[in-house]
Amino acid sequence: MPIDSFRPQSWNGIDDIVIVGGGLAGLFCALKLAPRPVTILAAAPIGQGASSAWAQGGIAAAMSPGDTFEKHVADTLEAGAGIVDEKMARFMVSEGPARIHDLLEYGVPFDRDLEGKLLLSREAAHSERRIVRVKGDMAGKAIMEALISAVRKTPSIRVLEGYVVEELVREGRFISGVVARPDAGQSKNRVHFPARAVVLCSGGVGHLYAVTTNPWEACGQGVGMAARAGAIIADPEFVQFHPTAINIGRDPAPLATEALRGDGAHLINSAGHRFMLDIHEDGELAPRDVVSRGVFAEVQAGRGAFLDCTKAVGAHFPDMFPTVYASCIAAGIDPVTQPIPVVPAVHYHMGGVLTDAEGRTSIDGLWAAGEVTSTGVHGANRLASNSLLEAVVFAARIAENIKGMLPEPKINDWGKNAGESDDLVTIEDSPALKRLRRVMSDHVGVIRSREGLATAIREIAALERENSRMRFHNIVTTAKLIATGAYLREESRGGHFRSDFTEQKADWKHRTFLTLADAEKVVADLSETAAA
């Protein structure tokens, strides 16, 4: 049955605010909105489908005696390769310490020194020690556990788990609700949730690619939904690859946190050569895009890439980095005595739904926070541990903004019988998604070219034509935006590297703003070229 030939059931009542996504941004926003009624719609049990829960590094905040907001902003601007929105970055950095104290009040057990002060670490491209961590590599897990506990105890927050949001409902210039499918997206019925405000916190795009560190839920549906509703998408071409995913054939790939390199671990090839010293003066602590290309080149050349922690961490590994240690031991690798095989993996999307300083998108009634957005604070390449900071800062700003301006509710009769749907195949197991992930990794990955991107765009268009399922259309729309953004940007900058345009260009020193209609025009032009 065609996807538009049935009508979803209607939720009996109206939700004041609906938050799409149960990750860090969604939970933090809900807590900041209390005691205002909020419904969180999460595809998986809250925390389980969130990239935030897997974050190993921590949160960056200028809180040490020798650090300043100016230094943190300067590091952010440097990492972002010339296109960071400086005003937005200053908002984020200046509000960071207050948000850290919020998290402490919610019960997050950040590491402290013997005097009880927050223990701050350093990561790549940071000029100071400003990373707040939990037990070395467990920050994301600990933060999410604390927030989940706080949410469960807050009576104004209703959590509906297993609801896959498939569509934003637009009436005129307003988003007036969402349509979701229960039972982890496997139900035959869809449910409409009218709302006075919708906050999109649906996460990233990692599973558009064959190798990623992200959970399965991070497959770009939020960006695709927003684009299909008419929202402006910013900087979609900028995808950050983490240079040190553990190369043991797991999907998602486990992560060897950047903190290991911050603590002195070295990258070597199979001959034991520290290849990053040949590429950048900062060696292993160079920006992630530089390190990713270095690791990628060694792997492609057949020499392999390995993270050697045996001297820098050694016997302390099990206590200092228990998550990484467990992943290695499960694969038969002892990181105390053996180098860890690594490979670049999609880790973070700098692009996403365009928002302003209050988290408002280009459509009234729709706000967004977290990795689904492009606030401009990351530019072309995210500075390590700024992502969790961005999530909590802008989630809090959204809460303040919504409190001051709620649109009037409007409820429509959406009918009672949802009928049957052909949208019940598990997306994760579908041949179409496997094909899409391979196309994205082959042609829209660490190194890109005009020819490869054109091939990818045509393949994406073919996949879209061949598949009618709503969720897949959201996913493939995001892939289309990333590929077309990369095709149009004829230079190399930050996380975007073109083998045919290897240098930065002054006339490209700006952000990208695309609508779905813009992307469709590129698809049409390439289709005409192929047919000619």
Side-chain angles (χ1 to χ4, degrees), residues 227-228 230-231 477 480-481 514-524:
R228 294 177 70 190
T477 294
K480 187 192 311 180
L481 287 158
L514 285 176
T515 63
L516 183 52
D518 297 328
E520 297 289 9
K521 186 177 186 305
V522 174
V523 173

Side-chain angles (χ1 to χ4, degrees), residues 120-448:
L120 300 169
S121 306
R122 186 183 172 196
E123 288 185 351
H126 285 275
S127 59
E128 299 286 343
R129 300 180 73 87
R130 63 169 69 100
I131 314 304
V132 186
R133 302 197 304 201
V134 179
K135 294 182 181 177
D137 63 1
M138 299 182 69
K141 182 174 184 291
I143 291 168
M144 290 300 293
E145 285 176 351
L147 293 189
I148 288 166
S149 176
V151 164
R152 300 284 192 206
K153 296 173 185 174
T154 304
S156 60
I157 301 174
R158 179 177 62 151
V159 179
L160 297 180
E161 295 164 312
Y163 278 76
V164 176
V165 177
E166 297 181 341
E167 192 175 358
L168 298 170
V169 180
R170 181 165 182 167
E171 298 183 34
R173 61 189 184 90
F174 287 97
I175 296 296
S176 61
V178 303
V179 177
R181 195 182 297 279
D183 302 330
Q186 298 305 300
S187 174
K188 294 179 179 179
N189 297 330
R190 299 202 305 162
V191 181
H192 173 238
F193 293 86
R196 300 185 183 204
V198 174
V199 184
L200 192 61
C201 303
S202 53
V205 305
H207 275 271
L208 291 178
Y209 289 81
V211 183
T212 180
T213 62
N214 295 170
W216 272 104
E217 288 76 10
C219 56
Q221 289 197 71
V223 171
M225 271 192 294
R228 294 177 70 190
I232 296 172
I233 307 302
D235 303 332
E237 64 268 35
F238 294 113
V239 178
Q240 185 176 77
F241 288 76
H242 197 291
T244 55
I246 304 174
N247 190 15
I248 51 177
R250 280 176 50 190
D251 186 21
L255 184 66
T257 175
E258 191 148 356
L260 286 162
R261 284 176 284 138
D263 284 352
H266 296 158
L267 282 165
I268 60 173
N269 60 22
S270 56
H273 176 60
R274 279 184 69 186
F275 56 87
M276 281 308 303
L277 293 178
D278 303 332
I279 298 171
H280 195 280
E281 61 183 6
D282 291 334
E284 288 83 2
L285 293 180
R288 280 182 174 173
D289 63 300
V290 177
V291 181
S292 290
R293 287 196 292 276
V295 171
F296 182 77
E298 295 300 308
V299 173
Q300 288 293 101
R303 293 184 290 268
F306 304 85
L307 187 64
D308 187 354
C309 314
T310 56
K311 293 182 179 64
V313 184
H316 300 290
F317 211 120
D319 296 324
M320 291 180 66
F321 301 98
T323 306
V324 181
Y325 183 76
S327 294
C328 290
I329 292 298
I333 300 163
D334 182 359
V336 173
T337 60
Q338 296 174 282
I340 304 167
V342 294
V343 66
V346 173
H347 188 59
Y348 191 84
H349 189 207
M350 281 76 75
V353 183
L354 177 66
T355 66
D356 65 10
E358 313 307 326
R360 293 175 297 198
T361 72
S362 57
I363 311 175
D364 290 339
L366 179 65
W367 288 255
E371 193 175 348
V372 73
T373 70
S374 179
T375 62
V377 301
H378 303 307
N381 200 25
R382 175 183 67 102
L383 181 66
S385 291
N386 266 358
S387 51
L388 298 187
L389 174 64
E390 178 199 34
V392 293
V393 165
F394 289 100
R397 293 180 74 87
I398 287 171
E400 287 301 311
N401 188 249
I402 287 177
K403 288 176 182 177
M405 51 174 295
L406 270 181
E408 289 299 314
K410 184 177 181 182
I411 305 175
N412 288 332
D413 177 13
W414 283 61
K416 297 297 181 184
N417 185 6
E420 297 291 328
S421 168
D422 66 345
D423 197 15
L424 303 181
V425 177
T426 302
I427 293 293
E428 293 81 3
D429 295 333
S430 70
L433 183 57
K434 290 176 181 176
R435 181 175 155 198
L436 177 64
R437 295 180 72 190
R438 177 46 54 199
V439 166
M440 292 293 285
S441 286
D442 288 348
H443 302 299
V444 201
V446 177
I447 297 177
R448 303 159 174 182

